[in-house]
Amino acid sequence: MNKETAVEVSVIIPVYNTGDYLKTSVESVLKQKNCRFELILIDDGSKDSSGELCDKYAETDSRVRVCHKENAGLSAARNTALEMAKGEYVTFFDHDDEYLENLLCDNYRLAKLHDADVVRFDRLKRTFLPNGKILEDISGTTALCKSVDPVVLRHEEIQKHFAQIQDSGVLYGIWNGMYRRKLIEENRLRFEEDIKFGGEDWIYNYQLLAAAESYVFNPKTYYIYNRRIGYSTSSKFHENRIEAILRTDEVESSLLQRWNYDEIDKLRHLQSKFAYVLEIVGIYNHPDCPYSSSQKNQCIRNAVNQIRLKEYFDKNLLKGISKKRRLCAFLIKHNVWWGLRGLDKLKGGEY
């Protein structure tokens, strides 16, 4: 394949029982201009007509490639697509989301201009509530980009701006970015296939952060993340998400230790660990959780012990966190798990 026909970007979409959403998603990709891309559709054992629709797109557009496989989950589908990909860069796309105009050409241009391993951009999140209301918010680079100009970070600058990277929201999902495929292959970065119900993105993003030598943060919004309450995996009770949180904490801890983090980074890491603990408490507080109150308390205790939060209960560090989190620390220190669950249910005030 010569330079004139080489694939610049591989767009990866796992597909599973997508119904009416797939058409809008795929066509938002196929409308992209001024970029040589391929669209890889992985039919993950769909039981509806999604697989047939994938084939129809492949029949009418040479840029579309399809793979049909037995159902094995989102991570396995993405990994299958990575083995197929030919693009210089890769992007990931959820099967009910949408691309906005020029996502591929604008961010590929930035990647080439700055020789970037990773380009991250803003996303618009639309939450569809059962009552018909739609909530919208934009995040992704706001903690880093203070103007309309992209921000470029290299080497030690990535470590220096770690707090802003976390606060920006870019580590939340994998779909608001473009990634050099050579980086992925040289580091054999793959999604963990036993994480099936959300959280696999967090782990992968920290692995990318550890491997990448250069990031570009583009403050423009290019991606629409559609979250449908009741349809979205992340809105349901899945205990497998606990494992995703524990592994994310493990990967983050390993990264910070490699960077020889100082007291400021330790405070940041403490904040992360609190966020993970409260995410775990929220999961066990989910109305669909089948466990009794005592079982929930025991599960929370086991997970918190694995995160090893108590090791960070230094008086000086605790001074740097909110009053509500200090209350959480007190409850955890004294094993008052029912109190922690009750605090999670309170409305108002940030953790």
Side-chain angles (χ1 to χ4, degrees), residues 9-27:
V9 183
S10 297
V11 181
I12 292 172
I13 306 183
V15 176
Y16 180 71
N17 293 350
T18 313
D20 297 333
Y21 303 129
L22 184 60
K23 183 176 180 181
T24 300
S25 299
V26 168
E27 292 185 1

Side-chain angles (χ1 to χ4, degrees), residues 273-331:
K273 285 181 175 289
F274 266 117
Y276 296 145
V277 167
L278 294 168
E279 182 80 13
I280 289 168
V281 174
I283 290 171
Y284 284 116
N285 268 345
H286 193 284
D288 293 337
C289 178
Y291 299 147
S292 67
S293 180
S294 60
Q295 287 174 325
K296 290 177 182 179
N297 293 341
Q298 186 60 48
C299 288
I300 292 170
R301 177 177 184 168
N302 292 341
V304 170
N305 287 340
Q306 289 186 65
I307 289 178
R308 297 164 66 180
L309 180 61
K310 292 181 181 180
E311 294 179 12
Y312 286 75
F313 284 178
D314 176 271
K315 288 184 178 180
N316 292 326
L317 281 180
L318 291 176
K319 288 179 181 178
I321 63 175
S322 69
K323 290 182 179 180
K324 203 166 188 179
R325 287 197 171 184
R326 287 203 294 272
L327 176 56
C328 289
F330 175 85
L331 296 172

Side-chain angles (χ1 to χ4, degrees), residues 29 51 70 73 96 99 132 171 178 195 237 330:
V29 177
E70 291 186 8
D96 58 341
Y99 273 2
L171 300 180
M178 185 175 287
I195 302 297
F237 172 76
F330 175 85

Side-chain angles (χ1 to χ4, degrees), residues 152-203:
V152 182
L153 299 181
R154 301 188 188 280
H155 308 294
E156 66 278 356
E157 292 177 320
I158 298 173
Q159 177 181 348
K160 180 181 177 181
H161 290 85
F162 175 65
Q164 291 97 316
I165 292 172
Q166 279 193 317
D167 291 342
S168 69
V170 295
L171 300 180
Y172 176 76
I174 200 70
W175 16 255
N176 56 338
M178 185 175 287
Y179 315 94
R180 197 197 303 267
R181 188 164 66 88
K182 183 178 179 181
L183 174 80
I184 292 172
E185 293 308 313
E186 286 182 345
N187 292 276
R188 291 304 296 170
L189 298 180
R190 294 294 187 267
F191 293 89
E192 300 200 17
E193 297 188 7
D194 60 332
I195 302 297
K196 296 180 181 294
F197 300 105
E200 74 290 329
D201 289 3
W202 309 335
I203 302 168

Side-chain angles (χ1 to χ4, degrees), residues 11 20 34 47 71 75 83 85-86 95 105 107 140 157 176 208 224 239 264-265 278 283 324 328 331 334:
V11 181
D20 297 333
N34 302 317
K47 298 177 181 178
N71 179 259
S75 293
E83 298 297 330
K86 299 177 181 178
H95 59 193
C105 67
N107 291 288
E157 292 177 320
N176 56 338
L208 282 167
I224 300 177
E239 196 166 13
I264 295 175
D265 292 320
L278 294 168
I283 290 171
K324 203 166 188 179
C328 289
L331 296 172
H334 296 282

Side-chain angles (χ1 to χ4, degrees), residues 74-106:
L74 178 63
S75 293
R78 286 173 174 167
N79 289 342
T80 297
L82 284 173
E83 298 297 330
M84 297 170 58
K86 299 177 181 178
E88 183 181 2
Y89 284 82
V90 172
T91 66
F92 300 96
F93 188 114
D94 281 1
H95 59 193
D96 58 341
D97 293 341
E98 299 170 50
Y99 273 2
L100 295 176
E101 188 177 5
N102 296 326
L103 182 152
L104 295 180
C105 67
D106 285 0

